[in-house]
Amino acid sequence: MPRYQLRYYDPDGHRHGGLPTFPWRFAPEGLATRRQLRALGLCPGGHPPVAQVMWRRGGRNGHRDSVAYLYDLAAARPKRTAGPAVRAALGKAMTARRTCPSCGQVCGYVIPRRYGECLDCAQPRHTWGAVA
Ligand SMILES: [Zn+2]
């Protein structure tokens, strides 16, 4: 391990904010960066990072530490991204649920099942706000 990388070697996370820290390319197996997860069609699945890799960016003068978080591959979940066809179908279904069968109006809300029509149509037949 090159000498400058030693300061990034901190498996217990004492020096780098509590997260186990490894130099770039020295991270243990079973961990992956978000970018690596994405390449595998995975996402962190709501889990926080379990470690981080650090490396030095820049030249001899004014270099900076770079950090990438590492996620547990075993906890990763398949990324669920709806394709355009799925999104269109979902949108259509939602529009249908917001369309009043009586007046054909697309409302800003889902048609209440108990009325089966929009509130404008249902209103005259129900005593809105009336004290029973
Ligand atoms: Zn209506």
Side-chain angles (χ1 to χ4, degrees):
M1 184 184 297
R3 204 177 150 177
Y4 75 87
Q5 289 195 320
L6 277 175
R7 68 196 206 88
Y8 298 138
Y9 186 72
D10 181 21
D12 297 322
H14 292 315
R15 276 174 286 148
H16 296 287
L19 271 182
T21 304
F22 301 93
W24 188 247
R25 280 208 279 265
F26 288 90
E29 291 198 16
L31 303 180
T33 63
R34 195 177 272 271
R35 182 190 288 252
Q36 288 166 337
L37 286 180
R38 203 182 316 147
L40 295 168
L42 301 169
C43 68
H47 296 278
V50 295
Q52 61 188 353
V53 283
M54 294 184 76
W55 67 97
R56 194 169 63 170
R57 186 160 54 190
R60 191 168 296 187
N61 301 311
H63 68 257
R64 286 187 328 199
D65 293 341
S66 292
V67 178
Y69 294 117
L70 292 171
Y71 299 88
D72 189 355
L73 263 178
R77 298 263 177 284
K79 198 167 40 168
R80 255 185 301 180
T81 48
V86 173
R87 274 204 304 270
L90 284 175
K92 222 179 232 177
M94 277 313 292
T95 302
R97 291 178 63 192
R98 287 198 299 251
T99 304
C100 174
S102 303
C103 67
Q105 184 187 190
V106 179
C107 308
Y109 49 87
V110 172
I111 302 301
R113 200 173 297 179
R114 60 191 281 220
Y115 302 132
E117 53 191 1
C118 75
L119 295 181
D120 288 340
C121 293
Q123 194 157 20
R125 277 166 255 156
H126 295 270
T127 48
W128 290 87
V131 179

